Amino acid sequence: MGHSHQMSAIPLVFTAPRAVRPARHLADLDPGQRRAAVAELGEPAFRADQLGRHYFGRLEDDVERMTDVPAAARATLAEALLPPLLTVVRHVGCDDGATRKTLWRAMDGVLIESVLMRYPGRTTLCVSSQAGCGMACPFCATGQSGLTRNLSTAEIVEQVVAGARALARDEIPGGPGRVSNVVFMGMGEPLANYQRVLAAVRRLTEPPPSGLGLSQRSVTVSTVGLVPAIRRLTGEGLNVTLAVSLHAPDDELRDTLVPVNTRWPVAEVLDAAWEYAAATGRRVSIEYAMIRDVNDQPWRADLLAQLLRARLTHVNLIPLNPTPGSRWDASDPAVQREFVRRLRDRGVPTTVRDTRGREIAGACGQLAAAD
Ligand code: SAH
């Protein structure tokens, strides 16, 4: 860790001050704002929809191929509404190319990552919502470096559009395909960047030319449990899936694993989760990283089952992906099986997340941290 911090100290000197905001992009704007932006450039309002169809519908990234826009207007429109936001630092693949992690550099130099995971019948994009994270969970690589800044709506959307483009262009093994699911489980706490994340969810789920046209149910927003923001999300009337990173059923342990628990303890987080489930009719996913001898005891499985029994929920156990320099490891497989058995025996639907991308540090800020 010490070594990697020294490495990153050099480019930091040359990065722009934090106050510099990412350039405005089409994907930051709703349809009305787009028409206004286009009109300001002296172009007819319908150009907004043309650009939307190219960017979201055809996944076009070459302005010269937007041939229904007059050649003379293309450069002006592209400069104002389709500025470059993210450049690829590198792609890292595994699972014969079906999993691909991308390290991106934003225009101010910050590094973020996204992961594309192709399964038979579905392709999930895991996106970052912030550069770094302020939540300081000690087992998470991103949590160690603190928050650098919020990503803009378009910087979030662009991670998905780039993945959709790679799939459409047959750059991912398995033939041409589409993104079917998006999970906000990359770097950052999405509900700490609430407005931009919500706008990104709208862009992802509105049909072209407004957005990418994914179904709301196929978008998962994962949170440490910022209770006021969960309540606010409940009020949005969206049908996205909510995931809560619980990791412990008791406040004493959760205070140490997810430090915001000292502000919003387990009972309050779960209450807010059940309100969300009631409002949407959707199962709330409870994320639980299995950490050897830390949170994997049979009594904790029983306590967790007691909290979740008869609720609209589903437990997603994640074998801990050990981060370099951390003292923690994944649970023993037999211990994990017993934990699963106790939850299921008590009627709590439980799955164990596959460990896709483990060998490429596919989870949790590890690639950006290693740079
Ligand atoms: N901030 C959000 C989303 C980020 S991470 C949240 O906390 O929910 C997505 C999930 O990966 C979270 O459940 C997080 O706790 C978990 N996670 C982070 N680091 C991990 C690691 N090293 N091994 C396994 N899961 C990890």
Side-chain angles (χ1 to χ4, degrees):
M1 278 315 262
H3 178 66
S4 64
H5 278 133
Q6 269 172 11
M7 298 287 285
S8 63
I10 297 158
L12 273 177
V13 175
F14 299 103
T15 56
R18 271 188 213 159
V20 174
R21 288 202 282 158
R24 181 191 66 172
H25 185 281
L26 187 78
D28 290 311
L29 308 178
D30 66 29
Q33 293 169 325
R34 287 179 203 172
R35 283 192 290 275
V38 164
E40 253 172 58
L41 298 168
E43 289 291 323
F46 67 81
R47 299 258 181 266
D49 279 0
Q50 288 180 316
L51 293 180
R53 270 192 291 276
H54 286 297
Y55 182 75
F56 289 108
R58 299 181 52 241
L59 307 168
E60 185 57 76
D61 56 353
D62 179 356
V63 65
E64 294 312 321
R65 281 201 284 263
M66 302 183 183
T67 51
D68 54 351
V69 177
R74 282 178 210 153
T76 316
L77 286 167
E79 198 181 311
L81 288 165
L82 298 168
L85 297 174
L86 302 175
T87 53
V88 174
V89 176
R90 63 173 169 273
H91 296 294
V92 191
C94 66
D95 307 316
D96 292 325
T99 302
R100 186 174 87 161
K101 177 157 167 162
T102 305
L103 179 67
W104 302 97
R105 189 189 310 280
M107 302 320 280
D108 63 352
V110 303
L111 297 176
I112 60 157
E113 57 190 35
S114 61
V115 186
L116 184 156
M117 290 160 283
R118 190 166 201 180
Y119 305 88
R122 109 188 114 98
T123 298
T124 299
L125 232 113
C126 175
V127 297
S128 295
S129 57
Q130 299 182 309
C133 185
M135 299 297 125
C137 304
F139 57 90
C140 172
T142 311
Q144 307 321 297
S145 47
L147 176 66
T148 303
R149 69 166 169 85
N150 285 321
L151 299 188
S152 69
T153 295
E155 285 173 326
I156 297 168
V157 170
E158 175 71 8
Q159 296 168 57
V160 182
V161 168
R165 193 180 282 139
L167 283 159
R169 293 181 183 173
D170 201 9
E171 290 166 12
I172 307 294
R178 349 171 36 123
V179 173
S180 54
N181 297 69
V182 171
V183 296
F184 283 82
M185 294 189 182
M187 301 169 78
E189 167 51 41
L191 295 188
N193 185 16
Y194 189 90
Q195 283 183 327
R196 295 177 193 86
V197 165
L198 253 285
V201 169
R202 294 190 196 283
R203 289 301 94 72
L204 295 175
T205 57
E206 286 160 1
S210 194
L212 211 50
L214 303 178
S215 93
Q216 289 181 4
R217 286 172 303 157
S218 65
V219 174
T220 299
V221 175
S222 181
T223 179
V224 288
L226 305 182
V227 166
I230 294 174
R231 296 237 159 84
R232 191 170 165 197
L233 185 65
T234 304
E236 302 281 353
L238 291 170
N239 256 312
V240 298
T241 302
L242 177 68
V244 172
S245 297
L246 201 66
H247 305 315
D250 55 306
D251 287 323
E252 192 184 351
L253 178 58
R254 193 167 190 267
D255 280 351
T256 69
L257 294 180
V258 184
V260 291
N261 192 69
T262 56
R263 183 109 169 256
W264 295 290
V266 171
E268 283 183 41
V269 172
L270 291 180
D271 275 351
W274 309 145
E275 284 168 22
Y276 187 84
T280 58
R282 300 194 54 70
R283 261 175 220 283
V284 173
S285 177
I286 299 294
E287 309 289 298
Y288 200 102
M290 292 293 285
I291 314 176
R292 182 187 297 252
D293 298 333
V294 173
N295 64 352
D296 60 359
Q297 303 82 356
W299 73 266
R300 282 204 161 90
D302 295 347
L303 181 56
L304 183 63
Q306 203 177 306
L307 296 175
L308 306 186
R309 197 182 334 223
R311 298 292 188 173
L312 199 53
T313 188
H314 170 271
V315 174
N316 202 355
L317 293 181
I318 318 166
L320 183 80
N321 202 355
T323 63
S326 145
R327 60 183 185 283
W328 286 319
D329 205 351
S331 298
D332 184 86
V335 169
Q336 182 173 297
R337 277 195 298 277
E338 176 62 10
F339 203 92
V340 172
R341 190 188 68 77
R342 282 174 183 258
L343 289 170
R344 287 187 182 151
D345 277 359
R346 287 157 183 78
V348 179
T350 304
T351 50
V352 177
R353 168 133 14 122
D354 77 18
T355 48
R356 274 272 181 122
R358 223 183 162 87
E359 62 268 47
I360 56 166
C364 324
Q366 294 176 338
L367 187 61
D371 208 68

